[in-house]
């Protein structure tokens, strides 16, 4: 018997957020704030990242080494926006599937898969860039083989459970996880300039979300604080922010995630130099502030 579509769809969306929570707990673990190195950390990483077609070894190289080591540094941070003058195939693809005004409808749809797509671009192309290659401890052959096996495993499961269960049990959660994680990445990094400085106050901003979402997502919204203390649990983010506000009263507090996401969607999705967002034809240019701005 076929289940009613709307309750099943709702369950698929709920499952996407529960899996996102597991993925974010894996993020905490791989930074060393949950378990010491060992099988427990690896198990949690596999459980959280496998639904996104990401392996733990790939995640360490992509997120911990490349992103945290070079946040918002053009050509080194795989999560940063690309420059409008960069004609590399990866740059051309990313420009058209990044949330922004160049292709607003397509960009919204693309963000349903963009997190996983970024991971695959990193694994198969970006990690071999000469500027980045020697900065990574990545066993490329092993992680690529594991990724192929992971994809085949999900494909076999889809065949075994049939199209209906695949749609609501695998595809919808996959899309929901991607959209949620890209919402965080876009709001926490993309409205800030590229810089050579290792300064989280200039490369990262925190956002605010409803408290129940914050609890479900392990306080991931406190992202600037995470870049200051990467191995610290996100649950201490509010305490770090309170200390920052006492020491530097003019520091801009976190902004509502919906407001920041609206700004991201209404601006171009490419860089033209380190401090300007630009449309592909350079007709629309939006200067970026040196640091996160308030409302």
């Amino acid at each position: 018997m076929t289940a009613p579509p709307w309750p099943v769809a709702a369950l698929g969306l709920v499952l996407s957020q529960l899996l996102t929570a597991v993925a974010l707990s894996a993020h905490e673990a791989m930074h060393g704030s949950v378990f010491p190195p060992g099988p427990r950390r690896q198990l949690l990483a596999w459980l959280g990242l496998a639904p996104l077609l990401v392996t733990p070894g790939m995640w360490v190289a992509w997120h911990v080494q490349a992103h945290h080591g070079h946040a918002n540094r053009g050509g080194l941070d795989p999560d940063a926006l690309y420059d409008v003058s960069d004609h590399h195939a990866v740059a051309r693809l990313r420009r058209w599937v990044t949330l922004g005004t160049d292709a607003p409808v397509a960009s919204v749809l693309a963000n349903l898969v963009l997190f996983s797509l970024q991971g695959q671009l990193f694994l198969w192309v970006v990690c071999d860039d000469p500027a980045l290659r020697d900065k990574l401890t990545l066993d490329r052959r092993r992680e690529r083989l594991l990724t192929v096996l992971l994809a085949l495993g999900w494909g076999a499961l889809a065949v075994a459970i049939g199209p209906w269960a695949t749609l609501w049990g695998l595809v919808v959660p996959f899309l929901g996880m991607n959209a949620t994680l890209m919402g965080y990445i876009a709001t926490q990094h993309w409205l800030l300039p590229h810089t050579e400085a290792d300064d989280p106050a200039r490369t990262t901003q925190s956002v605010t979300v409803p408290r129940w979402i914050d609890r479900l997502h392990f306080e991931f919204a406190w992202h600037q604080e995470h870049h200051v203390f990467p191995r610290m649990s996100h649950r201490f983010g509010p305490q770090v922010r309170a200390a920052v506000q006492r020491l530097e009263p003019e520091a801009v507090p976190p902004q509502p995630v919906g407001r920041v996401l609206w700004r991201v969607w209404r601006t171009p999705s490419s860089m033209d130099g380190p401090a300007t967002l630009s449309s592909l034809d350079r007709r629309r240019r939006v200067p970026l502030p040196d640091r996160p701005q308030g409302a």
Side-chain angles (χ1 to χ4, degrees):
M1 185 174 69
T2 300
W6 292 115
V8 174
L11 287 174
L13 294 175
V14 169
L15 180 58
S16 77
Q17 294 311 299
L18 294 176
L19 290 173
T20 298
V22 179
L24 292 175
S25 70
H27 167 268
E28 294 264 295
M30 296 307 283
H31 273 289
S33 62
V34 180
F35 301 124
R40 291 183 298 173
R41 182 188 293 187
Q42 288 296 308
L43 176 61
L44 181 54
W46 275 108
L47 291 174
L49 300 173
L52 294 158
L53 292 179
V54 175
T55 66
M58 168 187 164
W59 177 252
V60 169
W62 171 23
H63 179 77
V64 178
Q65 297 176 348
H67 171 63
H68 270 266
H70 313 92
N72 267 32
R73 292 182 64 180
L76 290 174
D77 182 358
D79 294 340
L81 298 177
Y82 281 85
D83 196 274
V84 70
S85 62
D86 190 339
H87 300 296
H88 190 281
V90 173
R92 292 200 303 270
L93 175 61
R94 273 285 310 277
R95 278 196 291 265
W96 284 106
V97 297
T98 297
L99 194 62
T101 57
D102 288 323
V105 175
S107 69
V108 169
L109 295 177
N111 274 264
L112 296 174
V113 298
L114 184 53
F115 184 86
S116 294
L117 175 61
Q118 283 189 179
Q120 296 307 308
L121 290 173
F122 174 81
L123 178 64
W124 298 95
V125 181
V126 175
C127 71
D128 288 325
D129 190 298
L132 193 59
R133 183 179 180 88
D134 293 338
K135 303 178 186 297
L136 306 173
T137 56
L138 175 66
D139 187 334
R140 289 158 175 77
R141 181 178 298 177
R142 176 180 183 273
E143 299 307 326
R144 287 168 178 169
L145 176 60
L146 286 174
T147 300
V148 170
L149 294 175
L150 182 59
L152 291 174
W154 285 121
L157 178 60
V159 171
I161 64 179
W164 180 260
T166 295
L167 174 62
W168 300 113
L170 298 180
V171 175
V172 169
F174 173 80
L175 300 178
M177 293 177 74
N178 270 268
T180 303
L181 294 174
M182 288 312 303
Y184 279 125
I185 291 173
T187 55
Q188 292 167 342
H189 291 287
W190 287 355
L191 290 180
L192 293 169
H194 289 181
T195 177
E196 296 299 314
D198 183 15
D199 181 2
R202 298 179 61 199
T203 61
T204 310
Q205 67 178 348
S206 295
V207 292
T208 59
V209 298
R211 182 58 184 155
W212 69 271
I213 294 179
D214 211 23
R215 294 291 296 274
L216 178 65
H217 290 167
F218 294 91
E219 281 86 14
F220 190 75
W222 300 93
H223 204 63
Q224 187 180 92
E225 296 74 17
H226 169 62
H227 272 256
V228 175
F229 301 111
R231 296 188 66 182
M232 175 190 75
S233 171
H234 276 73
R235 68 189 179 92
F236 296 111
Q239 297 177 40
V240 174
R241 172 55 56 174
V244 168
Q245 293 294 150
R246 287 196 303 270
L247 296 171
E248 192 174 351
E250 67 274 15
V252 177
Q255 301 298 303
V257 66
R259 184 180 301 165
V260 181
L261 193 59
W262 179 246
R263 289 180 192 162
V264 173
W265 190 69
R266 296 181 66 228
T267 55
S269 58
S270 298
M271 302 294 293
D272 190 6
T276 304
L277 291 170
S278 173
S279 60
L280 295 179
D281 58 11
R282 288 192 168 99
R283 291 182 179 179
R284 185 172 180 227
R285 293 163 55 83
V286 179
L288 289 171
D290 184 58
R291 291 174 181 268
Q293 300 293 296

